[in-house]
Amino acid sequence: DLTRQQQEIVAQIQGLNIDDHTAAWVLAGAYAIAQLLKGQVEPSQLISQITAYLRISSQDSAMVKDELLSQLHLLETLVDRHASLSEATGKLSSLEPDQEIAIAIYCFLATPDNIGLSLTRAIQMVGRSSIVGSITGMLSGAYNGILGLPVSWVQSLLVLNQGVEDEKSIPLLASHLLAIWAGAYPGSAVLENEDLVVSAPWVLRSR
C-alpha cells in the first residue's frame, strides 16, 4: 500500500544526508518512478498524483510542503502549456539545487511515449546532462519498458558489444543491475541465473 511504500522510500532517503527540501523532491521522484513501474498512473495525471501523495505525507514540514506544491504547480503549468525546453529549463532553474528532478519530470512528460526524444532533450542540460538524463531515463523507462527503446539504440549496443550479445540479454543485464541495487551479491552469480526475479519490496510488482 502507499503508506508502506512511503515508509520504505523515506527510510532510504534518510540515509542520504540531504536537506528537507531536496528530500521532498527525491520523495516525489521516487514515488513517480514507483507508480510508473506498477502501471498505476498515466503521464497526464502524474503531477496531480504526486501532489496528492505529498499532501498526505507526514515526512515534510508545512513550509517545505507548501513550497514544493507551489513548484509542482509551476511544473504542471509548463507541461500543460507545452512550454519549450528553453522556457521550461529557464523557469525550473530557479529551483536550485533541486532543479534536476523537476527538469527530468518535465522532459519525460513533454514526450512520455518517446524515450529517445525525452532523453535527447534531457542531455541538452549543460553541466547537468548526466543527472537529468539519468532521472529522465528512469521515468521514461519505467513507463515505456524495454520495448520503448529506439531500435537504432538497441542495434548500437549490439554493434558495440558492451555486454549485450543479443536483444534477449538486455532484460538480463537490467535484472543484474536491479539485483545489485537491491543488495544481491555477488553480481556474477546473478548473471548465471537467467530466471532470477528481483524486486524492491513494497515498490515493484512482477512483470
Side-chain angles (χ1 to χ4, degrees):
D1 59 36
L2 286 180
T3 301
R4 195 155 196 176
Q5 174 180 297
Q6 185 176 107
Q7 291 172 347
E8 294 291 332
I9 295 174
V10 169
Q12 297 299 317
I13 292 174
Q14 289 175 339
L16 297 178
N17 192 30
I18 54 180
D19 63 72
D20 290 345
H21 193 273
T22 299
W25 266 107
V26 172
L27 176 62
Y31 169 77
I33 293 170
Q35 294 304 98
L36 290 167
L37 280 168
K38 294 189 292 184
Q40 294 186 353
V41 61
E42 288 298 318
S44 60
Q45 299 297 317
L46 182 61
I47 296 180
S48 61
Q49 285 205 20
I50 293 174
T51 299
Y53 179 74
L54 293 175
R55 286 187 187 280
I56 63 173
S57 170
S58 60
Q59 173 67 14
D60 309 309
S61 67
M63 183 174 67
V64 169
K65 187 178 297 185
D66 289 344
E67 185 178 2
L68 180 57
L69 293 177
S70 176
Q71 293 168 350
L72 284 169
H73 177 69
L74 168 62
L75 176 57
E76 187 173 36
T77 299
L78 291 168
V79 173
D80 289 344
R81 287 201 297 104
H82 304 288
S84 67
L85 179 61
S86 60
E87 179 187 356
T89 54
K91 296 282 188 180
L92 298 174
S93 291
S94 63
L95 306 185
E96 187 74 37
D98 310 307
Q99 57 184 288
E100 287 89 354
I101 297 176
I103 294 173
I105 293 175
Y106 161 80
C107 288
F108 164 59
L109 291 179
T111 53
D113 298 309
N114 192 324
I115 293 179
L117 184 54
S118 293
L119 286 173
T120 298
R121 290 158 62 91
I123 62 175
Q124 294 183 39
M125 293 298 301
V126 177
R128 303 181 180 88
S129 61
S130 60
I131 299 176
V132 176
S134 296
I135 300 173
T136 302
M138 294 177 199
L139 292 163
S140 192
Y143 178 66
N144 292 286
I146 190 172
L147 295 179
L149 289 174
V151 174
S152 60
W153 292 12
V154 176
Q155 293 302 316
S156 295
L157 287 173
L158 300 179
V159 171
L160 292 172
N161 194 27
Q162 297 296 313
V164 182
E165 298 176 358
D166 53 48
E167 292 186 29
K168 293 182 180 179
S169 64
I170 296 178
L172 178 59
L173 289 171
S175 295
H176 180 211
L177 177 62
L178 177 58
I180 293 177
W181 169 79
Y185 294 96
S188 58
V190 176
L191 281 174
E192 295 173 0
N193 186 348
E194 296 190 10
D195 297 323
L196 183 66
V197 176
V198 180
S199 66
W202 315 118
V203 177
L204 310 184
R205 68 175 183 184
S206 60
R207 287 272 179 180

